[in-house]
Amino acid sequence: ALPISGTAVPDAKVVLTSNSEAKNQFYSMRLYGKEASIVWPMTKEQATNFFRKGQDDRPFTMQMWVRPDKGSSSSTVFHAPGVCDLTLSDRGDKYELKIYGRKRPGATDFTIFTSGIYLKPDEFSHISLSSDGKKLALRVFTDGSFKHYATGDLQPVDLNRVEGSVAFGNMTNITSGWAFNGYIDEIRVWDKELSDKEILSTYNRIISGTEQNLKLYWPLDENIPNQSTAYDYSKSSDVPNGNHGKIRGARGTNQEIS
């Protein structure tokens, strides 16, 4: 997680550095191997209620820091069946972010949205994937600057394909061959679309967990041997949300965002 605090300023170059007084607190999770992932376990009904309200899609934002390994193959960093997949496509010396699994209005086939946003291997980048209820948008801090991409309007979430659980770093079906190899940190899920201003003010800052509309917050700081739970530090009206995750084939490390 993040070893710094303060207020982010739009258009300012931000360099994340370690706070020596907190050197041993701010860790990330290492994912490696085809079975590695962190899963937010939900029933089909729970997932449907989170992503849909009646005939309309609910807004949401998913955030995380990722550091893909050099030389890895294409992989999945976020998988919500029936909602979307966010993937890294191997481009040799870099990885391109793509969005899968949704249809444009009037289309019968799913569309692959190529963002034109690239992540460097062995470097941390911050990803925000959000929905305003009609389209998906990416806001990514990588290589010293923010980059944006939006899909345009989409058909509603396909309730027949919603399975329940949501996975980070892999598909929910771990035999798919799309496992992410690298480091992942500071996973946050909100039940609103964050604005650019809101993202800029918090993406590289420690949050309290009590922020309005925050539904899940996994700092992944614990670095516990054989850790099997990603502990949720989010609260609503001072009541813990309890959206703990299941860690599969991953381990805590002392690797910091830098």
Side-chain angles (χ1 to χ4, degrees), residues 12-53:
K13 183 176 181 180
V14 177
V15 178
L16 301 181
T17 57
S18 301
N19 179 334
S20 59
E21 296 180 356
K23 183 71 174 177
N24 297 320
Q25 297 181 34
F26 306 102
Y27 300 137
S28 57
M29 187 68 64
R30 170 75 166 145
L31 278 68
Y32 188 83
K34 66 179 183 179
E35 296 185 359
S37 66
I38 309 175
V39 176
W40 179 14
M42 288 189 284
T43 64
K44 181 180 177 71
E45 181 180 6
Q46 288 172 327
T48 299
N49 289 337
F50 183 80
F51 291 111
R52 286 289 297 273
K53 182 179 181 181

Side-chain angles (χ1 to χ4, degrees), residues 181-195:
N181 289 328
Y183 296 88
I184 191 169
D185 200 7
E186 284 288 316
I187 296 175
R188 306 169 183 179
V189 179
W190 310 73
D191 66 356
K192 64 173 288 185
E193 182 191 26
L194 296 183
S195 66

Side-chain angles (χ1 to χ4, degrees), residues 39-245:
V39 176
W40 179 14
M42 288 189 284
T43 64
K44 181 180 177 71
E45 181 180 6
Q46 288 172 327
T48 299
N49 289 337
F50 183 80
F51 291 111
R52 286 289 297 273
K53 182 179 181 181
Q55 299 299 311
D56 299 320
D57 289 356
R58 291 182 186 269
F60 72 88
T61 302
M62 179 283 303
Q63 298 182 292
M64 68 174 80
W65 285 89
V66 298
R67 182 183 138 168
D69 287 349
K70 185 177 182 179
S72 296
S73 58
S74 299
S75 62
T76 299
V77 292
F78 176 69
H79 175 56
V83 180
C84 69
D85 297 340
L86 182 62
T87 68
L88 294 178
S89 186
D90 181 17
R91 291 291 181 262
D93 61 345
K94 56 189 175 182
Y95 300 95
E96 184 176 15
L97 283 163
K98 293 183 178 181
I99 300 173
Y100 286 76
R102 295 294 293 275
K103 298 177 182 178
R104 296 184 188 274
T108 57
D109 295 325
F110 295 108
T111 304
I112 299 173
F113 297 94
T114 303
S115 72
I117 299 174
Y118 298 90
L119 307 187
K120 290 184 176 181
D122 297 332
E123 292 187 12
F124 273 106
S125 298
H126 183 270
I127 298 171
S128 292
L129 172 68
S130 62
S131 170
D132 64 359
K134 293 183 180 296
K135 60 181 178 293
L136 293 167
L138 279 171
R139 273 76 66 87
V140 180
F141 185 84
T142 185
D143 199 22
S145 65
F146 258 105
K147 305 181 189 302
H148 300 248
Y149 174 80
T151 62
D153 287 352
L154 301 171
Q155 293 185 30
V157 167
D158 186 348
L159 296 181
N160 292 324
R161 297 179 64 241
V162 173
E163 298 175 3
S165 296
V166 170
F168 299 84
N170 210 331
M171 309 287 278
T172 52
N173 175 8
I174 58 175
T175 62
S176 66
W178 279 80
F180 169 80
N181 289 328
Y183 296 88
I184 191 169
D185 200 7
E186 284 288 316
I187 296 175
R188 306 169 183 179
V189 179
W190 310 73
D191 66 356
K192 64 173 288 185
E193 182 191 26
L194 296 183
S195 66
D196 286 354
K197 182 178 180 180
E198 288 171 318
I199 292 173
L200 282 167
S201 67
T202 60
Y203 82 97
N204 62 346
R205 298 293 184 259
I206 296 168
I207 61 175
S208 68
T210 60
E211 288 76 7
Q212 190 173 2
N213 298 105
L214 181 66
K215 294 303 177 184
L216 179 154
Y217 178 34
W218 299 339
L220 303 176
D221 280 339
E222 296 84 11
N223 195 17
I224 300 171
N226 302 315
Q227 184 175 347
S228 60
T229 301
Y231 296 100
D232 179 22
Y233 289 82
S234 69
K235 295 181 179 181
S236 298
S237 301
D238 291 326
V239 177
N241 289 326
N243 290 317
H244 306 302

